[in-house]
Amino acid sequence: MSFIVLGPIAEDGIKVPKCSFRVPAGFPSPAADHIEKHISLDEILNIRAPHVYLISIAGDSMLGAGIFDGDLAIVDRALEAGHNDVVVALLNNEPVCKRLCKRGAQMILLSENPKYPPRYILEGDELAIWGVITNSVRRHV
């Protein structure tokens, strides 16, 4: 799975209405009667420029983590990547999106799709963790 960097997020976002109810996946409710306040998506997604970037995901290796081909992922470069985090990395100068697994001194990049084997980081490999994925956004149309 690879990615395309779309760039940093602007600090000032547009405010959109937030309704005070959860939407059932059945018949719609008149939302205008339930507007609680106006919020911005950058507040919901905890986006703080300049260390937060959007990337476009390509591939199907992270399906089990809920990250699909074409999704937008929010990457925080200020977070230190830890065991089990989903990261954006450069492995031998190739961009990847994988789950980071640390077993002692051994680092492994795991796919969340059984079609793809684990990638053990070996001596001579160059691994640079670019950031931790904190959220993803999927378009449904």
Side-chain angles (χ1 to χ4, degrees):
M1 178 170 275
S2 63
F3 61 90
I4 298 168
V5 177
L6 300 177
I9 307 297
E11 287 189 45
D12 54 338
I14 298 172
K15 301 284 185 178
V16 295
K18 177 183 183 259
C19 297
S20 62
F21 62 89
R22 295 176 65 125
V23 178
F27 293 100
S29 172
D33 297 338
H34 300 280
I35 292 177
E36 182 178 313
K37 64 179 181 175
H38 283 77
I39 60 170
S40 65
L41 286 177
D42 57 342
E43 289 175 19
I44 293 172
L45 300 174
N46 197 27
I47 297 171
R48 301 289 180 257
H51 60 281
V52 175
Y53 286 79
L54 281 180
I55 61 169
S56 178
I57 298 293
D60 64 352
S61 72
M62 295 304 289
L63 295 177
I67 301 173
F68 295 85
D69 185 49
D71 282 358
L72 292 177
I74 297 155
V75 180
D76 191 331
R77 295 190 71 186
L79 294 176
E80 184 174 339
H83 175 70
N84 219 27
D85 284 339
V86 176
V87 298
V88 171
L90 292 177
L91 177 59
N92 300 324
N93 288 321
E94 292 292 323
V96 295
C97 172
K98 301 288 179 200
R99 187 168 302 279
L100 179 64
C101 178
K102 295 180 179 181
R103 293 185 185 146
Q106 178 70 63
M107 296 204 352
I108 309 162
L109 296 176
L110 301 173
S111 296
E112 293 279 343
N113 184 333
K115 291 185 348 185
Y116 303 99
R119 176 56 163 90
Y120 290 82
I121 307 305
L122 305 172
E123 187 176 329
D125 281 335
E126 291 182 33
L127 176 66
I129 304 295
W130 199 74
V132 176
I133 293 182
T134 58
N135 296 282
S136 62
V137 180
R138 182 170 311 114
R139 189 178 168 119
H140 292 276
V141 276

